[in-house]
Amino acid sequence: MEKKKINVIIPTYRPGKEFPQLLKSLRDQKCQPDRVIIMNTEKEYWKKEWEDLFPGMEIFHLKKEEFDHGGTRRKGAELSDGDILIFMTQDAIPFDHLLIGNLVRPLLEEEKTGAAYGRQLPQKGCSFLERYTRSFNYPENSYIKKEEDIPRYGIKTFFCSNVCAAYKRTAYEEIGGFVQRAIFNEDMICAGNMIKHGYSIAYAADARVLHSHNYSCAQQFHRNFDLGVSQAEHPEIFANIPSEGEGFRLVKKTFCYLLKTGHIWLIPQLIFQSGFKYIGYFLGKRYEKLPEKFIIWATMNKSYWKKK
């Protein structure tokens, strides 16, 4: 593998039990990062003992009001000097010691591959429905997405997840990096810009992390409201590519899977969750027509609107 300088950038806020496991696993990677940069929100929640888990990592503290999904990661990239920038979240645990090597390989094998994202596996305690959703969004086989694949993949052509994603610095800088302000979805906005600049996005199924959430219906509503807002605010990427089709396909396949496996008692839960997701997304796409008080209630990122 051609030697490239690799930097890992992790935004943190009140890290949980997964974070120490993440640092230990990074330390044990076969392909070692040259730098690990932590963009930590609120210094009071940082524990000094974490620094012993990956000696030499660099910690930059910021206030909660300074955090932004796009801007904070953009600042992390500016502080870095890597040829390849790997972004992770504080609760993503590498599945094995080959994560980094497998994640960066697609960027080294193909000049016009601008970004690669890894496979997210369900954690222990993950619900049955969420396990199937993970397998739908993160299948076993790797693939490459290009602009000509939009008719085939639709909105999923732009899909990329900063839970575990690597970006080629030259491509990242050519498209202007992450947007300075993003309520959510900064990874897909960046990937969409790369696609439109002629780059491809790789899904690296052999780059695996343990990462999942058992969101309630209310949490699904808030999350998808912000997803809708992010798409409405970036019509240059999402205007002509509807997302609803992919969502309906997931619901249909999940419904059939529940019937096939005999988990019919989960069908009402699927219907309720899907309904909350769709309503949140539908309203988020039309946020400009909504009262400010409703927006503040519906969002999961209230500080974004205070700045706005």
Side-chain angles (χ1 to χ4, degrees), residues 55-171:
M57 69 177 175
E58 304 161 52
I59 302 96
F60 298 88
H61 298 289
L62 58 148
K63 296 292 185 181
K64 189 173 181 179
E65 57 269 21
E66 297 174 313
F67 175 82
D68 182 272
H69 282 282
T72 298
R73 289 177 171 87
R74 184 184 181 93
K75 181 63 176 178
E78 292 170 356
L79 292 168
S80 72
D81 62 353
D83 303 301
I84 294 175
L85 308 178
I86 295 178
F87 288 86
M88 298 184 70
T89 55
Q90 64 190 35
D91 56 351
I93 305 171
F95 181 79
D96 55 30
H97 66 287
L98 300 176
L99 170 70
I100 291 180
N102 290 339
L103 185 62
V104 304
R105 184 174 292 110
L107 304 185
L108 302 178
E109 291 179 340
E110 176 56 53
E111 181 182 355
K112 292 302 288 183
T113 298
Y117 64 100
R119 184 182 182 190
Q120 297 181 33
L121 300 173
Q123 293 176 303
K124 186 178 180 180
C126 182
S127 70
F128 189 84
L129 284 176
E130 179 60 18
R131 283 181 180 275
Y132 184 77
T133 300
R134 288 274 164 236
S135 68
F136 178 86
N137 289 326
Y138 304 97
E140 295 181 355
N141 299 318
S142 302
Y143 56 96
I144 304 288
K145 302 173 291 185
K146 303 177 181 178
E147 188 167 20
E148 54 263 36
D149 292 318
I150 291 176
R152 177 183 179 186
Y153 293 121
I155 193 69
K156 215 161 188 177
T157 311
F158 301 153
F159 185 75
C160 184
S161 174
N162 275 342
V163 165
C164 178
Y167 299 83
K168 191 176 292 179
R169 189 179 201 100
T170 51

Side-chain angles (χ1 to χ4, degrees), residues 111-114 145 170-171 174 194-195 197-201:
E111 181 182 355
K112 292 302 288 183
T113 298
K145 302 173 291 185
T170 51
E174 181 181 335
M194 284 188 175
I195 290 284
H197 278 75
Y199 289 96
S200 59
I201 306 298

Side-chain angles (χ1 to χ4, degrees), residues 69 89 91 120 123 125-131 133-134 163 184 211-224 269-270 272-274 276-277 300:
H69 282 282
T89 55
D91 56 351
Q120 297 181 33
Q123 293 176 303
C126 182
S127 70
F128 189 84
L129 284 176
E130 179 60 18
R131 283 181 180 275
T133 300
R134 288 274 164 236
V163 165
F184 190 56
H211 180 265
S212 59
H213 294 286
N214 293 323
Y215 289 126
S216 66
C217 288
Q219 288 172 320
Q220 297 283 15
F221 172 89
H222 297 309
R223 182 178 176 83
N224 281 271
Q269 183 180 346
L270 170 67
F272 274 107
Q273 282 191 358
S274 302
F276 274 84
K277 285 181 183 179
M300 65 176 183

